[in-house]
Amino acid sequence: MSKETLHKLVSTAAPLRIENIDTDQIIPARFLKATTREGFGDNLFRDWRYNADNTPKAGFVLNDPTYTGARILVAGKNFGMGSSREHAAWALHDYGFKVVISSFFADIFRNNALNNFVLPAQVSDAFLAEVFNAVEADPKTEIIVDLENQEIVLENGRKESFAINPYKKQCLMNGYDDIDYLLSLKEEIKAFQEAQVF
């Protein structure tokens, strides 16, 4: 069973105020040759982070030391559109992000993220704007992502709920992948089987 769980995360956030970010921008296709998940974080947003000579691009949020250590990515509306590649979720997770906050996620990306222990927390456009404003006004602002109560709370007390599939919520909170979840129900499955009359 995975040791990784998520209950309540308190972290600073990196603001990426760009809409319609697709999976090829999250992790360019030329980096998809690897067969393991490690190292993808190095190339997260590669073409936005680095010049052709591999020097960091000035002005990109992940190159700003102000946001070093942020475990929350705040992104514009329609995050994860495009191809169905799971590598986008791998790259976000490997970089260190545990939560992405946006006002809309592509369905396939949402599922891939949840399967890789990255929580896509969808909020209203208005609340997303509040989150951006808070983080950009003070990069040291900490955001609370409370998975158990399905709430995002800002330092000023403003909060909003987000929806999540109950099964995936349980998996995140317990560190389960799909097989782990089935194994956790072993006794219930056994009892059900024994109660059947053939």
Side-chain angles (χ1 to χ4, degrees):
M1 178 171 59
S2 169
K3 302 274 190 218
E4 186 170 4
T5 61
L6 179 62
H7 293 265
K8 181 184 287 187
L9 175 67
V10 181
S11 175
T12 56
L16 186 57
R17 202 187 275 263
I18 301 174
E19 295 187 352
N20 304 315
I21 297 175
D22 67 37
T23 51
D24 197 52
Q25 291 160 330
I26 297 170
I27 181 73
R30 64 186 182 278
F31 297 109
L32 306 188
K33 298 174 184 176
T35 56
T36 62
R37 303 179 188 197
E38 293 76 30
F40 277 90
D42 294 338
N43 295 308
L44 177 67
F45 300 117
R46 179 74 191 196
D47 295 335
W48 290 349
R49 283 170 68 192
Y50 297 102
N51 295 303
D53 62 359
N54 293 325
T55 57
K57 289 185 178 180
F60 186 65
V61 63
L62 297 190
N63 294 332
D64 185 341
T66 304
Y67 299 104
T68 299
R71 294 294 168 255
I72 300 170
L73 177 67
V74 186
K77 187 174 187 176
N78 198 19
F79 187 84
M81 59 182 287
S83 75
S84 60
R85 66 185 59 147
E86 191 175 16
H87 305 73
W90 294 1
L92 288 160
H93 181 272
D94 190 60
Y95 184 83
F97 288 122
K98 294 187 175 296
V99 176
V100 181
I101 300 173
S102 181
S103 59
F104 185 80
F105 293 96
D107 285 339
I108 293 176
F109 171 81
R110 182 198 309 274
N111 291 330
N112 285 339
L114 289 168
N115 287 338
N116 287 280
F117 297 95
V118 175
L119 172 64
Q122 185 168 319
V123 297
S124 66
D125 289 327
F127 190 74
L128 180 65
E130 288 189 50
V131 177
F132 271 125
N133 291 340
V135 173
E136 290 169 350
D138 180 7
K140 294 181 181 178
T141 293
E142 290 189 325
I143 297 171
I144 299 172
V145 180
D146 183 345
L147 178 56
E148 186 169 1
N149 294 303
Q150 296 178 213
E151 288 183 333
I152 296 173
V153 185
L154 302 181
E155 286 188 347
N156 63 7
R158 291 278 297 140
K159 62 184 179 180
E160 186 168 292
S161 298
F162 60 89
I164 183 172
N165 177 292
Y167 162 64
K168 287 300 182 184
K169 176 180 178 179
Q170 186 171 350
C171 287
L172 285 175
M173 293 184 68
N174 290 284
Y176 292 159
D177 62 20
D178 292 336
I179 301 300
D180 294 326
Y181 178 77
L182 288 175
L183 290 173
S184 77
L185 299 176
K186 183 169 62 175
E187 293 305 316
E188 289 91 333
I189 293 170
K190 183 179 178 181
F192 174 82
Q193 185 180 28
E194 290 174 349
Q196 300 309 299
V197 178
F198 296 100

